[in-house]
Amino acid sequence: MPAVLTDLLPDTARVADGELVLGGVRSTELAREFGTPVVVYDEATIRGHARAYLTAAPGALVAYGTKAFPSVAVLQVLAEEGLGADVSTVGELEFALRAGVPGERLVIHGNNKEDELLRRAAGSGALIVLDSLEELERARAIDATRFLVRVTPGIEADTHEAVKTAHHGSKFGLPPDDAVEAIRRLPECEGLHVHVGSQLLHFGASLMTVDWISSFAVRLRAELGWTPRVIDLGGGLGVRHVLEEPSFTIEEFVGGLLGELQRTWPLQGLPDPQLIFEPGRSLVSRAGVTLYTVGGVKRASAATTYVTVDGGMSDNPRPAMYNARYTALLANRADEDVAEPYSVAGKHCESGDVLIERVDLPEPRRGDLLAVPVTGAYTLAMSSTYNAVPRPPAVLVRDGEARLIRRRETVDDLLALET
Ligand SMILES: *Cc1c(COP(=O)(O)O)cnc(C)c1O
């Protein structure tokens, strides 16, 4: 089996009669029923990733980083597996509540939480992660009771600038001295939160953070006689989008962090904390595959031939925003030998609207289906209607059945906002 199938596509992906099959459903059938572009989510992969976290960290609360793909159906699947949700806006909170995620499994984030978010979080019994001293006073004023303090250790994660979050000067969290002050004012606070960054493909910064947090706990015990009962290590595990990128399993990542915690914590005579993890990307990214229809093929220069597809930076802004790399395969001719390298361009009026710089494909033709793997996180979640292009639908596949979980937006939906 080609590596793209086993390593980048969802667990249930296979090729039958030359065609890519996801969750037991043929890709041409998905395209016929739901149109393209369409983001297809494999339920078995989502459940498998959720179980991997729960197995690697028994007893921990695993709260899905909802922003990776806010979807009631996906939140329901994860809640069935016993996960909670990490939300940072009233909208995300509403998605999680609509999915039936219990209040005590909700973790509330954000560096500028709306009053309504704080109020509703307090009312639902959620854990509020304080992001400033000023917010602490606002939360106290509305009688919220369950808190963590987010602290910024000053550690630089090895990832894109836009998704580093624990460095000095980050807009998130409290610098250590302010975090001490927060706990002095709020000793009933349950514990500490750190989140190093997102799309981490190296663990050095995460391990350093675990060490840092145990020395910080020692400082808090010495200065305030306070010990954290809860440690929330955030999310951040990266996924590979192309085979050349490094990859780590959930077991390796969580196992590494737990090992470090189990080494440093007792050394300082600290009691075992209740742990929280907040994975987003690593739960849903590889579960998602975007199917596009090829509009045409154009030779632009001796070096570059474009394949154009019926979507682009509106449904997946990650290549334009983060220089993210992707690969692709022809879903309807998945067993044909590749012919030559192509660039995959979207339909938007920007030269930057190139989803893939270079990918080897069998000679594509208008009408072919192009599948882009590992598009389950931060794609639809960050989609736009640029060029007045309606956003694609999402479909959940399982055991040969496909269920629409988010309908396609229409031009009428867009026009409905015009006054
Ligand atoms: C974005 C975010 C997450 C999820 O991050 P992933 O990289 O998708 O795992 C978790 N916690 C916080 C505080 C976040 O901001």
Side-chain angles (χ1 to χ4, degrees):
M1 250 212 308
V4 61
L5 264 185
T6 52
D7 294 0
L8 297 179
L9 283 164
D11 294 341
T12 64
R14 60 193 171 83
V15 172
D17 305 328
E19 221 189 284
L20 177 66
V21 179
L22 300 167
V25 190
R26 286 167 182 271
S27 38
T28 51
E29 216 172 287
L30 289 163
R32 198 166 35 242
E33 186 170 353
F34 303 104
T36 58
V38 56
V39 187
V40 182
Y41 283 87
D42 178 48
E43 189 172 325
T45 304
I46 298 175
R47 288 186 190 273
H49 288 162
R51 287 173 197 171
Y53 269 100
L54 294 172
T55 309
L61 169 63
V62 180
Y64 169 52
T66 304
K67 70 177 186 280
F69 177 47
S71 154
V72 173
V74 167
L75 282 155
Q76 267 165 352
V77 165
L78 293 170
E80 274 174 32
E81 295 292 335
L83 273 65
D86 143 18
V87 302
S88 60
T89 60
V90 170
E92 288 178 350
L93 177 65
E94 194 60 48
F95 271 66
L97 292 175
R98 193 72 66 89
V101 179
E104 68 275 11
R105 282 198 239 143
L106 290 173
V107 184
I108 315 291
H109 277 290
N111 67 316
N112 184 12
K113 301 179 189 72
E114 307 98 305
D115 286 335
E116 189 190 344
L117 177 61
L118 286 178
R119 239 187 347 262
R120 296 198 50 197
S124 62
L127 196 52
I128 297 175
V129 184
L130 297 172
D131 209 83
S132 70
L133 288 171
E134 177 261 330
E135 185 178 86
L136 182 154
E137 299 308 331
R138 280 170 59 216
R140 269 218 291 222
I142 54 153
D143 295 329
T145 54
R146 299 190 58 217
F147 302 101
L148 298 181
V149 166
R150 179 168 182 168
V151 53
T152 313
I155 290 172
E156 294 266 345
D158 183 10
T159 187
H160 193 279
E161 286 297 333
V163 290
K164 285 182 190 179
T165 49
H167 51 288
H168 284 305
S170 167
K171 76 166 183 167
F172 298 103
L174 286 90
D177 290 345
D178 282 358
V180 174
E181 172 59 19
I183 289 159
R184 197 188 59 73
R185 290 192 207 171
L186 197 70
E188 67 268 37
C189 166
E190 294 179 24
L192 300 171
H193 172 278
V194 282
H195 173 69
V196 186
S198 196
Q199 181 58 2
L200 307 174
L201 293 173
H202 308 273
F203 298 165
S206 302
L207 295 177
M208 272 166 70
T209 302
V210 172
D211 290 346
W212 186 90
I213 204 101
S214 50
S215 14
F216 190 59
V218 169
R219 173 180 171 190
L220 287 162
R221 185 179 54 192
E223 290 186 25
L224 304 173
W226 180 91
T227 346
R229 281 173 287 136
V230 177
I231 293 293
D232 184 334
L233 292 173
L237 172 60
V239 299
R240 65 167 158 184
H241 300 89
V242 293
L243 290 167
E244 298 78 49
E245 287 169 346
S247 85
F248 293 96
T249 63
I250 290 165
E251 291 79 0
E252 286 165 333
F253 180 68
V254 175
L257 296 189
L258 277 185
E260 195 66 6
L261 198 78
Q262 282 155 0
R263 194 180 65 75
T264 54
W265 220 249
L267 217 59
Q268 309 285 6
L270 293 161
D272 279 351
Q274 159 75 36
L275 287 178
I276 302 179
F277 288 95
E278 302 173 339
R281 192 187 315 266
S282 52
L283 284 173
V284 295
S285 199
R286 192 168 58 80
V289 177
T290 307
L291 297 176
Y292 298 97
T293 300
V294 170
V297 179
K298 177 160 72 180
R299 184 166 289 275
S301 71
T304 306
T305 304
Y306 285 109
V307 184
T308 50
V309 294
D310 54 353
M313 65 192 296
S314 59
D315 58 81
N316 184 0
R318 297 193 67 258
M321 280 179 76
Y322 308 115
N323 293 319
R325 295 172 62 197
Y326 285 92
T327 188
L329 63 158
L330 283 191
N332 57 321
R333 295 192 277 128
D335 57 351
E336 283 186 23
D337 289 336
V338 296
E340 55 174 306
Y342 295 89
S343 296
V344 177
K347 65 190 275 184
H348 296 281
C349 302
E350 271 212 33
S351 292
D353 181 29
V354 173
L355 289 173
I356 306 176
E357 283 298 340
R358 192 187 157 91
V359 57
D360 291 329
L361 295 170
E363 202 176 315
R365 298 188 284 262
R366 182 174 166 79
D368 274 334
L369 269 186
L370 190 87
V372 180
V374 205
T375 49
Y378 303 107
T379 51
L380 268 189
M382 291 183 143
S383 59
S384 73
T385 57
Y386 183 38
N387 280 137
V389 170
R391 284 170 290 206
V395 170
L396 196 63
V397 290
R398 172 188 169 167
D399 299 334
E401 311 247 320
R403 174 161 70 100
L404 186 68
I405 57 170
R406 168 170 164 167
R407 74 159 167 86
R408 183 181 301 283
E409 205 170 27
T410 64
V411 174
D412 280 342
D413 289 331
L414 304 185
L415 284 170
L417 301 176
E418 299 296 305
T419 56

